Amino acid sequence: MKIKKMQKRLFGTNGVRGVIGKEITPELALRIGQALGTMRPGHIAVGMDTRTSGPTLADALKAGLLATGCDVVDCGILPTPALQYIVKEHYDGGAMITASHNPPEYNGVKIIEPDGTEMGDEETIRLEEQLSDKSLPTKPWDRVGTEIAAPHLIEEYIQSIASQFPEKPGNGMTVVVDPGSGPACQTTPAILQALGCRIITINGIMDGTFPGRLPEPSPDGLKGLAALVVASKAAFGVAHDGDADRAVFIDENGSFIEENKEFSLITQHICRNAKGTIVTPVSTSQVVELIANKEGCTVQYTPVGSIYVARTMRELIAGGKQVVFGGEGNGGLIFPKHQFCRDGGMTAATMVSLLATTGQRLSLLVAQLPERHMIKEKIATPHGSRLIELLNKRYSQENIDCTDGLKIKRQNTWALIRASGTEPLIRIMVDANDKKAGSALYQEMKNSVSEILQTLS
Ligand code: MG
């Protein structure tokens, strides 16, 4: 069973996204609302992150839904995983106005399926076809939809996470939360408080101008969080991206934890309590597989993109497999007992449980993980897909994986070369247990790429 990636025109792997007034306009949001309303008649939940352009897009999208006869449930500002949870529990679909980790001038739309997952490739292509239809149907006066506001539903999401940890593992643990002025201001502090933690926040007031830091939770942007963790002698700090489906961590010494290490630590914690499969894209560091194997679990790889991880998890479970965890090496982690999407609030809560269970300091737990070295680089070329084909031939004698681009697997190291679907460039990634071996493999890949590119230009 392998889920294949399909090329879309407007939508990327995580919905449609762009700069407000350029790629993303109220007109586009209106048409998306009409197309979605035509495809998914029923009750559609709409939510947004804290971006300044959120209300204009949400109102346009809701108008499109109402015109096609859908009933709209306006959930207001909330994290993407909160809307996904609400849709899964109550509604026929959802639309989230968000540009996730992109800068403030961006915005976009993510479509949510009735089961709470992001819309898959095939359905998205159908939606795109509807969008290009000049005359989207609208309903007469007596069949247009109605709208209700449901800002209280966010409480259900908070409770659903808190109820996964009935023993309240926080027990007075101090945690500093940096929601980055995003929608998690309303959720993560409340979730961790419900687990018994003592909470301090930074960038804890919702503000679409993002005065404290950009929506991408990069080590540079989290210096304030790191300083506050040390000053308050907190057990850890947690920060989210702009729509809080991702969570990243700062240890008690103020050091940023690389996201593949975060993924590994939580893998270790989960695999100690349940055996089964971990699902992750081919771009995730091998450290996750090393840890999973050590704990008696296996890893299934997917194309790059959380939607492929989520859908593969669902399909494996439908086929009778035990799937215990999934996620990406960027702090986007999926807990199948809770829901099939990345969830930053759930990730933060799990870190509390992990520290309570081990009784060790976070920095020590990270130091015990196997050392890995990753190199990532982009090379501009319009010949991406042809290049991958030729590289495939060149390395056909080796242990290769074509799940997404070309992955060449050697002992303790791997290289991944992928062509971008949206830009004229390729991405090279190398992951190795040793710095020298990593650099050597990276150099080899770079040489092969430039040799082949010379024959193509
Ligand atoms: Mg996000």
Side-chain angles (χ1 to χ4, degrees), residues 21-261:
K22 286 188 180 166
E23 298 92 356
I24 304 296
T25 59
E27 289 88 343
L28 176 66
L30 175 77
R31 290 185 69 76
I32 292 175
Q34 282 180 287
L36 178 63
T38 308
M39 251 178 96
R40 296 272 183 275
H43 287 78
I44 304 293
V46 178
M48 60 183 167
D49 65 20
T50 57
R51 283 163 203 276
T52 51
S53 56
T56 56
L57 295 181
D59 285 350
L61 191 130
K62 287 189 295 184
L65 288 167
L66 292 166
T68 51
C70 276
D71 291 319
V72 168
V73 181
D74 188 340
C75 296
I77 295 177
L78 76 179
T80 300
L83 185 72
Q84 291 180 279
Y85 181 81
I86 289 166
V87 170
K88 169 177 82 101
E89 292 296 306
H90 302 290
Y91 300 115
D92 305 306
M96 178 74 190
I97 312 287
T98 178
S100 188
H101 59 275
N102 287 115
E105 64 271 25
Y106 282 73
N107 214 336
V109 185
K110 266 184 200 180
I111 308 292
I112 316 295
E113 291 285 36
D115 65 358
T117 60
E118 285 169 46
M119 187 175 260
D121 286 354
E122 260 172 66
E123 295 297 283
T124 304
I125 289 168
R126 266 188 61 209
L127 184 83
E128 285 183 339
E129 283 166 6
Q130 300 256 11
L131 272 178
S132 56
D133 188 344
K134 289 268 178 307
S135 55
L136 278 162
T138 53
K139 289 281 195 279
W141 71 274
D142 54 349
R143 287 170 63 203
V144 292
T146 58
E147 179 180 343
I148 56 162
H152 58 283
L153 288 175
I154 199 170
E155 283 303 321
E156 270 188 40
Y157 165 75
I158 294 168
Q159 284 314 315
S160 76
I161 295 179
S163 67
Q164 305 268 336
F165 306 90
E167 73 284 12
K168 287 191 191 263
N171 197 24
M173 186 188 292
T174 300
V175 179
V176 186
V177 180
D178 181 348
S181 315
C185 291
Q186 305 193 90
T187 51
T188 299
I191 291 166
L192 301 190
Q193 223 153 24
L195 300 191
C197 296
R198 177 179 161 255
I199 303 301
I200 299 170
T201 58
I202 176 170
N203 302 316
I205 296 171
M206 297 199 287
D207 186 337
T209 65
F210 302 100
R213 66 164 173 91
L214 289 172
E216 171 67 32
S218 66
D220 253 2
L222 301 181
K223 285 184 178 149
L225 170 63
L228 198 49
V229 167
V230 175
S232 61
K233 296 191 169 54
F236 69 92
V238 58
H240 296 296
D241 69 326
D243 66 336
D245 54 357
R246 287 160 51 201
V248 300
F249 295 94
I250 301 283
D251 73 18
E252 79 284 0
N253 300 322
S255 300
F256 182 88
I257 299 171
E258 196 275 321
E259 294 93 330
N260 284 282
K261 291 195 169 170

Side-chain angles (χ1 to χ4, degrees), residues 8 52 288 300 307 357 416:
K8 291 149 288 184
T52 51
V288 172
Q300 166 90 41
I307 180 73
T357 309
L416 175 69

Side-chain angles (χ1 to χ4, degrees), residues 282-283 304 404-407 414-418 427-429:
V282 284
S283 52
V304 178
D404 193 348
L406 172 69
K407 188 171 182 178
W414 58 253
L416 175 69
I417 299 130
R418 295 189 307 126
R427 291 191 168 86
I428 304 182
M429 265 181 100

Side-chain angles (χ1 to χ4, degrees), residues 203-428:
N203 302 316
I205 296 171
M206 297 199 287
D207 186 337
T209 65
F210 302 100
R213 66 164 173 91
L214 289 172
E216 171 67 32
S218 66
D220 253 2
L222 301 181
K223 285 184 178 149
L225 170 63
L228 198 49
V229 167
V230 175
S232 61
K233 296 191 169 54
F236 69 92
V238 58
H240 296 296
D241 69 326
D243 66 336
D245 54 357
R246 287 160 51 201
V248 300
F249 295 94
I250 301 283
D251 73 18
E252 79 284 0
N253 300 322
S255 300
F256 182 88
I257 299 171
E258 196 275 321
E259 294 93 330
N260 284 282
K261 291 195 169 170
E262 165 194 341
F263 191 177
S264 306
L265 265 190
I266 299 182
T267 295
Q268 190 172 48
H269 176 65
I270 287 176
C271 293
R272 282 182 179 166
N273 295 303
K275 303 296 172 207
T277 302
I278 316 291
V279 181
T280 193
V282 284
S283 52
T284 298
S285 168
Q286 205 168 328
V287 62
V288 172
E289 186 171 347
L290 291 171
I291 293 291
N293 290 345
K294 202 170 154 202
E295 300 298 334
C297 292
T298 55
V299 172
Q300 166 90 41
Y301 288 103
T302 71
V304 178
S306 69
I307 180 73
Y308 307 107
V309 177
R311 298 208 166 260
T312 301
M313 289 171 81
R314 294 218 75 152
E315 292 207 0
L316 288 173
I317 290 170
K321 268 214 167 179
Q322 194 70 25
V323 176
V324 291
F325 190 35
E328 304 177 302
N330 62 3
L333 304 178
I334 305 175
F335 301 82
K337 272 193 193 162
H338 171 50
Q339 61 174 346
F340 289 92
C341 67
R342 295 175 295 185
D343 194 324
M346 181 67 190
T347 304
T350 305
M351 183 58 83
V352 173
S353 159
L354 183 157
L355 287 179
T357 309
T358 59
Q360 281 195 46
R361 281 180 288 145
L362 184 50
S363 65
L364 288 177
L365 293 169
V366 174
Q368 286 161 19
L369 293 169
E371 200 52 48
R372 296 296 295 183
H373 300 273
M374 260 195 164
I375 305 174
K376 296 180 195 180
E377 202 167 312
K378 295 174 192 171
I379 296 179
T381 169
H383 306 294
S385 46
R386 182 78 186 119
L387 172 78
I388 304 288
E389 271 172 44
L390 293 169
L391 276 170
N392 226 313
K393 273 194 192 145
R394 177 176 286 209
Y395 289 97
S396 61
Q397 300 304 313
E398 295 209 32
N399 182 6
I400 58 171
D401 178 343
C402 301
T403 302
D404 193 348
L406 172 69
K407 188 171 182 178
I408 299 152
K409 297 188 278 187
R410 295 191 182 153
Q411 196 155 25
N412 298 321
T413 60
W414 58 253
L416 175 69
I417 299 130
R418 295 189 307 126
S420 164
T422 49
E423 296 164 281
L425 57 86
I426 58 152
R427 291 191 168 86
I428 304 182

